[in-house]
Amino acid sequence: MKIKAIDTFVVRIPFDDDKPNWGAGFWGKTAQAHPGLLPDHPGDITTEYPPLWRNRATYTDRNEAVIVRITTDSGLTGWGEIHTPVAGEVSQAVVDRLLAPVVYGRDPLDIQPIWETMYSTMRLRGHSSGYLMEAISGVDIALWDIVGKAVQAPIAKLLGGMIRDRIPVYASSLPRVAVTSGEAGYQAMADAAAALVEKGYRGFKVKLGIGIEQDRYALEMLRDAVGPTVSLAVDVNGAYDLALARQAGRMMEAYNVWWLEEPLMPENLRDYARLAAFLDMPVAGGECLDNRWIFNDFLAAGALDIVQPDVGRAGGSASVAAFPRWPIPMAFRLHPT
């Protein structure tokens, strides 16, 4: 069996008019707006603490991805996804112009050698993250799809077997509440959390990271709404520095927070290790880490208690399958209304 074709498709699905990108929805309509400030405040995103300007990513008005289709001469077809929230044409070009030429004609069952060949195309140039790794991810996932179909087995079996056949899920994620939303915004967040529990969820995640007092009030509202036994995780998307993360983490421990996710900028390995040693609750992260070597560095340093690789970004299954199995709950992502 040989690979005879690799096709890529940039997919864009418009959001409803009243539903902006759930990441971009946290920010104001102007680039300098700060979600923790009222309109008449003289400061903006560059003047306040925590320094949220560092984690204001680019968003579009579409839900975007790049789909990879690999066709073999035996008729089997595999599908993969590249996690590319913006500028999908870049990932598409990486596959079409860089990766496809070194993959054509290969046996799709040779997943690890193909992965190493793809990674080696830019290895000496230092391309160990970003669009290259995302593009490799899509190809790799498509190859695993072919292998699963060829041997008629689920991918979990091919990666070593299933430890369990039932997995608890949590709802992810309730959006942050901008200060301009006032009490009504916090109440809507609490009502949404209560509705999730009513549906049967025993855990959920909320986006925080605007400021200590705002985050404290949000947690008070949530605990009042769902009680003390429902698992409540917090994601701040790298909003803190180490000093503030320590302070916020201690505050969150008082509300029995399940884990604190991405408290720091993803490249800050040293401070992640310091924070994980300081806090009693677990520190989580990894969706912004892009290869197995950086994951190994974080694990060796004791910098993460819960590891959350994004397979469509981190090199695909051939990359992350090299790790031990971690006790990671399955995420179920909700697009907030």
Side-chain angles (χ1 to χ4, degrees):
M1 183 166 55
K2 304 295 182 183
I3 295 170
K4 74 171 187 179
I6 302 175
D7 302 298
T8 53
F9 310 90
V10 178
V11 179
R12 292 188 173 92
I13 303 173
F15 292 104
D16 294 340
D17 291 339
D18 60 342
K19 296 179 181 179
N21 187 299
W22 72 315
F26 173 51
W27 304 101
K29 294 183 179 180
T30 61
Q32 296 295 93
H34 191 299
L37 302 179
L38 294 171
D40 60 350
H41 193 285
D44 60 29
I45 194 174
T46 66
T47 65
E48 303 305 299
Y49 183 74
L52 296 184
W53 62 268
R54 300 179 307 169
N55 63 341
R56 178 163 185 162
T58 297
Y59 295 95
T60 73
D61 60 354
R62 300 288 192 274
N63 195 5
E64 299 192 14
V66 178
I67 305 301
V68 178
R69 181 180 65 194
I70 298 180
T71 306
T72 68
D73 58 6
S74 69
L76 289 179
T77 299
W79 296 88
E81 179 184 356
I82 301 172
H83 182 92
T84 308
V86 294
E89 289 81 1
V90 178
S91 297
Q92 183 179 42
V94 173
V95 175
D96 293 348
R97 302 185 62 180
L98 180 67
L99 302 183
V102 302
V103 175
Y104 282 130
R106 301 285 293 270
D107 183 341
L109 303 186
D110 289 335
I111 290 182
Q112 192 62 42
I114 291 175
W115 194 97
E116 293 293 342
T117 299
M118 291 190 294
Y119 186 77
S120 295
T121 59
M122 298 295 285
R123 187 176 210 149
L124 296 183
R125 294 153 186 151
H127 290 226
S128 59
S129 65
Y131 284 105
L132 175 65
M133 293 302 295
E134 291 170 357
I136 289 174
S137 299
V139 174
D140 183 80
I141 293 169
L143 291 174
W144 279 102
D145 189 27
I146 290 172
V147 174
K149 293 172 179 176
V151 301
Q152 298 184 4
I155 305 304
K157 292 286 189 182
L158 303 181
L159 293 176
M162 295 181 291
I163 298 175
R164 58 188 70 83
D165 58 11
R166 299 178 70 239
I167 303 175
V169 301
Y170 69 91
S172 172
S173 301
L174 294 179
R176 296 176 181 87
V177 177
V179 171
T180 52
S181 299
E183 188 65 23
Y186 287 103
Q187 187 60 54
M189 175 194 65
D191 291 344
L196 290 173
V197 175
E198 183 68 21
K199 290 179 180 179
Y201 289 100
R202 302 307 301 163
F204 65 92
K205 186 165 67 181
V206 63
K207 300 281 190 175
L208 299 180
I210 294 180
I212 293 290
E213 293 310 313
Q214 293 95 325
D215 293 352
R216 187 194 311 274
Y217 186 64
L219 289 174
E220 287 178 358
M221 293 285 290
L222 289 170
R223 277 295 175 217
D224 287 345
V226 304
T229 61
V230 173
S231 298
L232 197 172
V234 170
D235 185 0
V236 301
N237 292 119
Y240 300 143
D241 58 18
L242 178 59
L244 190 57
R246 283 173 167 167
Q247 183 182 357
R250 284 292 187 229
M251 178 272 290
M252 292 176 189
E253 286 175 341
Y255 293 93
N256 193 28
V257 166
W258 198 5
W259 70 72
L260 174 56
E261 184 172 330
E262 290 199 321
L264 308 167
M265 287 288 98
E267 61 270 25
N268 195 350
L269 167 59
R270 181 177 61 183
D271 284 347
Y272 262 101
R274 292 171 173 172
L275 181 64
F278 177 81
L279 294 177
D280 295 323
M281 70 175 170
V283 173
E287 70 179 54
C288 295
L289 303 182
D290 288 344
N291 61 67
R292 63 177 180 261
W293 297 281
I294 188 63
F295 275 106
N296 184 68
D297 289 343
F298 270 74
L299 292 170
L304 291 174
D305 300 299
I306 298 174
V307 184
Q308 301 164 309
D310 189 329
V311 178
R313 169 184 287 155
S317 302
S319 179
V320 300
F323 295 114
R325 293 169 175 80
W326 316 289
I328 308 172
M330 177 67 72
F332 185 85
R333 173 156 293 179
L334 298 177
H335 291 280
T337 58

